[in-house]
């Protein structure tokens, strides 16, 4: 009975001539993930995963529409996390200072720098602050979130240029040993690329970094791009909007440039790094490849893999144990390596 | 064209009425796994994954045939690893002492205890010594491999009883702080169950343990039993021989007994634990669930996930970088926590 239903679905799928040949795979909701995050795990694929904006205007409209959904949730999140957010700039690079109502004594002289995710196209302006707000609130530490420039108007190397400019400026106020840097997805990729760029410029590196499911390889290289296609319900496939975004940002540069794909960089002498992913994550390989590479080069590198989670879902349900765990592990990690 | 071929395959599959409804999924060989391990990654499923022995004789014959294949390779492996193997017993429990030609000075007073894998049914006698031989050789440390009793003749709790008996006996010669314990798959499960049992009996725990892709949940619980079915080409599915073996060993006991499925145990005050798995591993969830549980309980627990690997493939190509890495990481871990 089930098999004949599957056959019917298969026939329908073949006959509709779906452009991508991607099968969405559904599984039971694991009762080994938390009840709070269960609806995300069992949810339908992100509605926009297979959008393919073409023109500059289409990209900008698409980005703006998605940002509106995120921005609506921010007042509640700031209230819940008891943080205030102030818009500022660092040598001309815009950003946000997120200050919790209470800063822990050990965090008084520390700061965390945040880079948001979104494939180098999504989450402009305050839409990129949600992870930073949660880190500031859960960690009771000041966070600076960098609102780096993005395509279609500002392709590579605008984002990484902004990252290094802001980092240089923050180094004028905070010594590197009191700075941590973090980000998820593209934010993790930028964090890693920033280490490469800072090394190349002879700047001191931060005391520690945490990178959640980082985009370390912008080419479709890495096993889980294939094995987890249609399993991850957030990104779903490289061949959705994601691959388009890679090319839009790279703007003709080699996607294997280490500042685009830090997996191809020299990671010697990186700061201690915590990496986080999930068992269904399309970026599982992006994460574990970098973890192993960092260890092979003699760095301290810890890995956490969340049961049942697709890409970055640990950011998407503020009260879920997985979300709290992500921030707790990050905070413990920073606390271990940052000077007071 | 490809879609119509898939449709044809689907029709054939529906019409042949395959008993298991399991689809083997094939993917490109990732060039991000090593060339040496590539043939394993791209290999066909283990020929016996869907065998279902019924009677005692069928089980014993099946186990014996698979063991013969393993045993053939041991003389070369011992020679390559420069180890000697001596058969012995510990308070009546048979085992093997594996001594490398050269023992590192820091390892003179240390010993590692090994439990082999194989679903509580495979790898009796010396067939269970390959991982121990490689650890002794790569680590230049003495290893004791325990040849615990197995079903169909000796179901639960024979294996864990043998484990604790042997451990007690070894504690008469080595203080716990100079002992490490390790094992892969079922061997990892036994290692974890041994910690529970030793705690319950008030015995001192070893200084550190490493568990490769441990069988922490013998019920079909955990996301990757579903998401990675047909992706892992070693175990392929819980519904092959594996689930049968679980029930054969449990012999009517609740599969959620913590000595069968240590994920349900109290892991407070466990020794530092290194866990290892792969991105295609059917036991990815078995591994990461335990990793998170150990950390949540305040233990030191490190995780490594190998790119592209199915269950325990890091043991199956002695010269592969992944294999060497597995043993190197294990050795570094033991060296960090064992007293000299």
């Amino acid at each position: 009975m089930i098999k004949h239903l599957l056959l019917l679905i298969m026939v329908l799928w073949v006959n509709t001539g779906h452009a991508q040949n991607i099968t969405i795979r559904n599984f039971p909701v694991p009762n080994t993930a938390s009840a709070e995050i269960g609806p995300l795990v069992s949810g339908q694929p992100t509605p926009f995963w297979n959008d393919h904006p073409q023109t500059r205007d289409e990209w900008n409209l698409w980005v703006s529409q998605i940002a509106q959904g995120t921005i609506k949730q921010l007042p509640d999140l700031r209230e819940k996390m008891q943080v205030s957010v102030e818009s500022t700039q660092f040598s001309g690079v815009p950003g946000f200072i997120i200050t919790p109502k209470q800063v822990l004594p050990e965090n008084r002289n520390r700061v965390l720098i945040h880079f948001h995710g979104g494939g180098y196209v999504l989450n402009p302006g305050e839409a990129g602050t949600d992870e930073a707000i949660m880190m500031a609130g859960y960690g009771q530490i000041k966070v600076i979130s960098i609102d780096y420039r993005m395509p279609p108007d500002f392709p590579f190397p605008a984002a990484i240029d902004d990252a290094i400019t802001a980092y240089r400026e923050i180094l004028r106020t905070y010594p590197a040993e009191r700075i941590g840097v973090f980000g998820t997805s593209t934010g993790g990729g930028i964090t890693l690329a920033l280490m490469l760029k800072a090394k190349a410029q002879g700047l001191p590196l931060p005391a520690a970094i945490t990178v959640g499911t980082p985009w370390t390889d912008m080419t479709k290289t890495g096993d889980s791009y294939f094995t987890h296609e249609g399993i991850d319900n957030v990104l779903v496939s490289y061949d959705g909007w994601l691959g388009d975004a890679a090319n839009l940002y790279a703007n003709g540069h080699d996607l294997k440039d280490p500042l685009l794909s830090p997996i191809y960089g020299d990671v010697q002498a990186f700061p201690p790094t915590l990496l986080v992913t999930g068992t269904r994550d399309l970026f599982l390989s992006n994460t574990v490849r970098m973890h192993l590479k960092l260890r092979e080069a003699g760095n301290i590198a810890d890995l956490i893999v969340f049961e049942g989670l697709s890409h970055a879902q640990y950011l998407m349900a503020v009260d879920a144990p997985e979300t709290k765990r992500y921030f707790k592990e990050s905070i413990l990690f920073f606390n271990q390596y940052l000077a007071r």
Side-chain angles (χ1 to χ4, degrees), chain A residues 221-275:
Chain A
T221 303
D223 202 39
S224 67
Y225 277 130
F226 302 89
T227 55
H228 287 55
E229 184 175 80
I231 291 178
D232 181 314
N233 65 1
V234 173
L235 294 174
V236 184
S237 167
Y238 182 90
D239 300 325
W241 68 269
L242 186 71
D244 292 2
N247 289 305
L248 187 74
Y249 177 56
N251 194 30
H253 288 86
D254 184 357
L255 288 173
K256 294 197 172 182
D257 183 317
L259 295 181
L260 288 163
S261 296
I263 194 73
Y264 300 106
D266 170 8
V267 299
Q268 293 281 335
F270 259 43
T273 304
L274 172 67
L275 303 99

Side-chain angles (χ1 to χ4, degrees), chain A residues 34-40 70 72-83 129-139 306 309 312-328 331:
Chain A
S34 75
E36 291 87 341
I37 217 156
L40 291 176
T70 307
K72 268 185 211 153
Q73 301 166 9
L74 293 178
D76 284 355
L77 188 64
R78 288 189 294 254
E79 170 68 19
K80 184 182 177 72
M81 289 289 127
Q82 298 267 293
V83 303
T129 58
D130 56 350
E131 185 180 22
I133 289 168
M134 289 186 272
M135 185 71 86
Y138 280 129
F306 282 115
L309 297 200
Q313 280 179 325
Y314 57 80
L315 293 184
M316 300 176 190
V318 62
D319 289 319
E322 288 86 347
T323 306
K324 292 177 181 168
R325 175 68 79 85
Y326 166 70
F327 288 106
K328 186 180 176 182
I331 291 154

